[in-house]
Amino acid sequence: MELMFRPLLFHLLLYCATQTSGVIIQTVPPSNSEGIIETQLDKTVSLVCQPDGSHEADEELLWLRNGAAVRLTEENKMGRSSVCVTPVLYEDNGATFTCRLRKNATAMASVTLNVSYPPQLSGSEEVSVEEQSMLVLLCDIWANPSVSSVSWSLNGSAVDLLAGGFSVTNDGFTSTLTADRVEESLHEGTYQCTAVSPIYGTHSRQFIVTLTEKTLKIPLMPFVAGLVVVFFTALLAFASRWSRIRKWCK
């Protein structure tokens, strides 16, 4: 019984310390018990801060975003101060807003934004690649929360990694499908990358891959150098012969 009581007492003390921090932040939408505000892209978050009952009601307030001061108008500093985040952007995810008294840095409270957004997958893209070269397809799966699964298909069927010599890598931001030395019979067609979000459902993007004949590529610099050598050799030969021709004419 004593072991169960101690954690309960600890959380109770922690709760009281949070409530008597010297300032109170009210938020729309509301924050949870850990000070996290759940929101989404393009939404609006409103924050209002004011001293609690242990300090004078007209004290000057400061706002910090990730430790950097937020610029406030003079009328938005005394006794009650508000900050509005609109529209909510990608870079607002994880941002911590702290309100404190100017005269007492220990009198403070903080909230953190958790911005959810789906993977940016839609539409289609045409890809042209030469035969016997490498195919690389990139699928942006960056999302919050992270996608629960990613899959690749070719012409409506799951990509056969072994038969097509494919490899798939996933770093949490991009899923990459690659194949070495592509062949028309194995690699041409419509690819689809599909990501499943636990909140936003299924999102996908298509890649229409067309193979072209391999072209002969001549290195430019050696080719130019060869032309220069041939030109000057011909020029010198012509100059030598021209001198002989002039002598004969005389």
Side-chain angles (χ1 to χ4, degrees):
M1 183 67 179
E2 182 179 357
L3 293 176
M4 295 177 60
F5 176 73
R6 286 180 179 176
L8 179 62
L9 178 60
F10 172 77
H11 288 295
L12 181 60
L13 291 175
L14 181 61
Y15 174 81
C16 292
T18 303
Q19 296 302 302
T20 58
S21 61
V23 296
I24 298 174
I25 298 179
Q26 297 175 325
T27 71
V28 178
S31 61
N32 61 21
S33 59
E34 298 178 349
I36 305 297
I37 302 173
E38 300 290 344
T39 185
Q40 298 178 359
L41 288 178
D42 300 322
K43 299 294 185 180
T44 297
V45 174
S46 298
L47 311 175
V48 177
C49 178
Q50 58 190 28
D52 63 13
S54 63
H55 293 81
E56 296 182 10
D58 61 347
E59 288 206 43
E60 184 175 352
L61 299 166
L62 299 177
W63 279 99
L64 305 175
R65 175 194 164 98
N66 294 335
V70 176
R71 182 176 297 179
L72 303 172
T73 60
E74 290 300 322
E75 59 271 19
N76 191 27
K77 295 180 179 180
M78 306 304 295
R80 184 179 184 276
S81 182
S82 61
V83 169
C84 184
V85 183
T86 186
V88 173
L89 304 175
Y90 287 106
E91 51 265 34
D92 293 319
N93 185 42
T96 296
F97 290 84
T98 300
C99 177
R100 70 174 181 85
L101 299 179
R102 174 177 287 277
K103 294 182 179 180
N104 183 0
T106 62
M108 59 185 292
S110 298
V111 292
T112 300
L113 305 188
N114 183 39
V115 183
S116 61
Y117 46 87
Q120 300 301 301
L121 293 178
S122 62
S124 62
E125 175 183 348
E126 293 186 359
V127 180
S128 179
V129 60
E130 289 186 356
E131 289 186 342
Q132 300 302 310
S133 61
M134 175 179 285
L135 171 67
V136 179
L137 301 179
L138 303 177
C139 182
D140 185 4
I141 58 172
W142 181 44
N144 185 35
S146 300
V147 298
S148 55
S149 66
V150 182
S151 60
W152 286 89
S153 65
L154 172 57
N155 296 327
S157 301
V159 168
D160 190 331
L161 299 180
L162 185 60
F166 293 101
S167 64
V168 177
T169 59
N170 183 354
D171 61 5
F173 296 92
T174 304
S175 179
T176 305
L177 177 71
T178 59
D180 295 325
R181 302 179 64 83
V182 294
E183 301 177 18
E184 181 177 355
S185 60
L186 292 176
H187 302 101
E188 189 172 71
T190 300
Y191 293 77
Q192 181 166 295
C193 171
T194 302
V196 179
S197 165
I199 293 180
Y200 298 100
T202 300
H203 291 256
S204 61
R205 181 174 179 80
Q206 289 188 339
F207 302 85
I208 303 171
V209 176
T210 303
L211 269 64
T212 60
E213 291 185 1
K214 188 175 182 63
T215 57
L216 179 62
K217 296 181 180 179
I218 301 175
L220 181 60
M221 292 305 296
F223 179 71
V224 172
L227 286 179
V228 171
V229 171
V230 171
F231 173 76
F232 280 105
T233 301
L235 184 62
L236 291 173
F238 176 77
S240 176
R241 291 185 178 183
W242 177 251
S243 298
R244 294 180 181 177
I245 293 173
R246 291 185 63 185
K247 289 180 180 179
W248 291 340
C249 291
K250 291 178 180 181

